[in-house]
Amino acid sequence: MIEKIIKNVLELPGVDGACILDKKGNLLHNALPDFFLEDFLEDLSRRVTTLYEAVDENYMPCDDYILKFPQKYIQLRRSRHIYLLVAVEPTTNLVSLRMVTNLVLKHITPKILGELRAQLKASANEAAVAAPPPPVAPTPAELSPPPVPPVEASPEPDPTSTHTTTVNGRKRPVRPRPTRSFRGSTY
Amino acid sequence: MFENANLTELKERGLVGAIACTSTGSVIDATNDELDVFGSILSYISQVADMIGEPFGMDSIEEVHLISSNATAICIPQEGDCLGVLCSSRANIDEILNELLD
């Protein structure tokens, strides 16, 4: 849904990219060009929120800013729920840009905002799961070769034992099934 | 600083006022006395705007437009000092800035 909303902005001639931040500075959607490195986006969100708060407190509330750099213009727009940042060429029609960003701000409802936050949380969880576990440094006991025990006839495992089980040739501890109850009755 | 500009004509076209301040907030020149609050934040605005663009390879900020419902304020850094221009929302800002800065 958000892709469709942002696409109207990205299709405007001269628009390089856009991103959406929530009021806490969290990056909810990133469609900025590659030279907006992700490593710096956290600082970007903090400075944007600081700019808004400082001017609101010390001068007058302003919802819209245009930062004119020699290379690009950056439009900042604020709604009740989000900040919208759009990077454009200096030749962009700013009136058209304002019109199309009005639609973005109008369509970012609390429901859409909730979906964006859920996507953000899901992607953060995926990144945490996909990250490999940190390597464990081997202890000196592990580094030294273990002593070779004398060869003995090993007793056969007791098939009736409930403490371990063999799965794919590996022994797995058998954990007791957790107790579940519903309205006082266990199942 | 604003002596060369026809302020009367510019005010008819939407100029509310203009102020020039140093980086410390001291007023260099102003068209009226009601812009001191605006002048005091010009330097900070230009600094934060610079910090927003600098990590992404942008050069120093040229102009910052603050757009509210009934007015537009423009902050223009100039060699360490800052120029602030306040216009009504319907003013032709580019024309006013061209005449004010010439």
Side-chain angles (χ1 to χ4, degrees), chain A residues 33-54:
Chain A
D34 292 338
F35 61 83
F36 281 83
L37 300 176
E38 289 200 11
D39 294 341
F40 300 118
L41 290 180
E42 187 176 340
D43 281 340
L44 173 70
S45 63
R46 177 175 52 80
R47 288 165 183 165
V48 167
T49 53
T50 300
L51 177 65
Y52 272 99
E53 288 175 9

Side-chain angles (χ1 to χ4, degrees), chain B residues 19-40:
Chain B
I19 186 168
C21 291
T22 65
S23 58
T24 58
S26 303
V27 178
I28 300 172
D29 193 8
T31 58
N32 58 50
D33 296 331
E34 298 172 351
L35 300 175
D36 287 357
V37 174
F38 178 42
S40 64

